[in-house]
Amino acid sequence: FIIQKPINKLLAGVDYVMRGNLNVSLDISNNDEIGTITHAFNSMILSLKKSHFQLKEYSTNLEKTVEERTEKIKENAQQLKHVNIQLQNEVYERKKVQEQLEYNALHDPLTGLANRTLLFDHLSLVINQQERQYLKGLFALFFLDIDRFKMINDSLGHEFGDHLLVEIGKRLVEC
């Protein structure tokens, strides 16, 4: 019975620890084997408490580090999103400029009508297309010349001549 009481206290302490309660300290002051086991048990509890505290500290530091890095990633993502929008805008602007350059290269700046380069390009396509079809080479080309246009420019001025060309161009497009 003298041994049973300290052993029951040890078993109760072990039961507390198994349930996750580390606030256990046994006070058995025997100087025998039970005392040695009790002392080892108390030392083990102190070591577990220390390890548990360190684990909590590591966990807290890890969470803080993860939070900081997540915030940094979010900031970087925002910056990348902003840079991506800028790049998309630049690509859009460059594409617009390129389209405008291509249009300018193929159209008359005054009337907006197709210029000689575009005419020859379309004419070449039509000729090639007609050569592949049954009725080879049959197509029509309408050529329009403004008689004495130089005289209009010289007598009424280039501004009037330009206005006349624009008006003729509008009427041709409407046909």
Side-chain angles (χ1 to χ4, degrees), residues 121-135:
D121 185 43
H122 285 315
L123 194 56
S124 174
L125 287 172
V126 169
I127 291 169
N128 287 335
Q129 188 178 34
Q130 290 297 323
E131 286 177 352
R132 283 185 256 132
Q133 291 181 355
Y134 175 70
L135 302 172

Side-chain angles (χ1 to χ4, degrees), residues 14-174:
V14 168
D15 190 44
Y16 275 121
V17 172
M18 285 176 49
R19 291 186 202 162
N21 185 356
L22 296 180
N23 294 324
V24 176
S25 180
L26 300 179
D27 323 311
I28 300 175
S29 54
N30 297 1
N31 287 334
D32 55 5
E33 289 84 6
I34 301 267
T36 304
I37 292 172
T38 303
H39 178 68
F41 178 82
N42 287 335
S43 294
M44 180 187 71
I45 294 297
L46 286 175
S47 179
L48 283 173
K49 281 182 181 181
K50 185 177 178 183
S51 295
H52 186 68
F53 177 76
Q54 285 177 335
L55 186 60
K56 274 187 172 182
E57 201 172 73
Y58 292 148
S59 178
T60 302
N61 288 339
L62 181 61
E63 286 179 22
K64 185 178 176 183
T65 302
V66 166
E67 192 175 292
E68 288 170 354
R69 288 185 180 168
T70 301
E71 190 61 35
K72 196 167 209 158
I73 288 171
K74 286 179 183 178
E75 289 172 8
N76 289 343
Q78 277 300 107
Q79 288 174 347
L80 287 175
K81 186 177 180 181
H82 180 69
V83 168
N84 191 25
I85 289 170
Q86 285 179 324
L87 288 174
Q88 286 175 349
N89 289 338
E90 286 178 22
V91 166
Y92 173 76
E93 288 299 319
R94 188 173 285 184
K95 195 172 186 179
K96 249 175 55 174
V97 167
Q98 183 177 354
E99 288 171 358
Q100 187 63 48
L101 287 172
E102 289 173 6
Y103 180 87
N104 291 347
L106 300 174
H107 293 81
D108 179 73
L110 184 63
T111 63
L113 297 175
N115 64 13
R116 187 172 297 184
T117 304
L118 189 56
L119 168 70
F120 287 140
D121 185 43
H122 285 315
L123 194 56
S124 174
L125 287 172
V126 169
I127 291 169
N128 287 335
Q129 188 178 34
Q130 290 297 323
E131 286 177 352
R132 283 185 256 132
Q133 291 181 355
Y134 175 70
L135 302 172
K136 291 187 174 185
L138 296 179
F139 65 92
L141 174 66
F142 178 70
F143 178 78
L144 178 66
D145 185 25
I146 303 172
D147 289 335
R148 300 184 200 104
F149 184 73
K150 183 176 178 344
M151 188 176 77
I152 292 172
N153 261 350
D154 291 343
S155 62
L156 299 174
H158 288 280
E159 189 174 330
F160 182 81
D162 288 350
H163 181 69
L164 180 63
L165 285 176
V166 169
E167 191 58 37
I168 292 171
K170 284 181 187 175
R171 290 183 186 195
L172 286 173
V173 169
E174 289 174 2

